[in-house]
Amino acid sequence: MSPVRHLLAPALVLTAAPLLAAQDPAPTRAMQVEAAAEARAAGDLERARGILQASLAASPQDPDLLRRLAMVEADDGRLEAALATIDRAAGLAPDDLDVALARAYILYWRGDRAGSRAAVAAIAARDPDYPELAPLR
């Protein structure tokens, strides 16, 4: 090795190490959630479902991922699957108003107006100005 290379080699290793560490090939949860949201917004429900199911395989008790999957199922017209998924999320996070709101919408879309009204009333009792609640009132 030439003397210049000999002196530069350690410097290159020290500067390259942080760059290599920053190139983590595994997508983060936030990246997966964003990709699923983009797929859902684009109408690619199969892709959104696949991303969320893969994320749930790693974190099966994540109520937010379950809520997102339930909304994908609802968008796809699979309202029974949506209700089962949102009920699972509600069991894991009974105080989560995002989960409660998603459940209220799913009940409404299924035609269960009484159930939806009861869910809306429960949310409004805790937070009368909760975002996205008004359309269900």
Side-chain angles (χ1 to χ4, degrees):
M1 186 181 284
S2 75
V4 173
R5 277 189 169 168
H6 184 70
L7 291 174
L8 289 177
L12 289 174
V13 169
L14 290 175
T15 57
L19 293 174
L20 292 174
Q23 296 177 358
D24 184 2
T28 64
R29 181 192 183 283
M31 291 168 57
Q32 291 172 323
V33 165
E34 183 178 339
E38 288 172 1
R40 179 181 175 213
D44 190 349
L45 301 178
E46 233 7 84
R47 182 169 176 264
R49 182 182 292 113
I51 293 167
L52 292 168
Q53 287 173 337
S55 296
L56 280 163
S59 301
Q61 304 298 314
D62 186 325
D64 180 58
L65 292 175
L66 288 165
R67 176 187 62 82
R68 291 171 186 277
L69 179 59
M71 295 308 287
V72 168
E73 298 294 10
D75 285 351
D76 203 18
R78 301 181 58 199
L79 296 176
E80 294 306 315
L83 184 60
T85 303
I86 202 65
D87 283 347
R88 187 169 153 218
L92 293 168
D95 296 327
D96 186 320
L97 293 181
D98 286 340
V99 170
L101 181 65
R103 188 171 190 282
Y105 271 101
I106 291 166
L107 290 170
Y108 180 84
W109 295 326
R110 289 183 70 240
D112 183 354
R113 302 298 191 257
S116 180
R117 279 193 300 274
V120 167
I123 295 167
R126 292 180 49 208
D127 187 348
D129 298 320
Y130 196 72
E132 298 181 38
L133 189 59
L136 287 172
R137 288 186 175 180

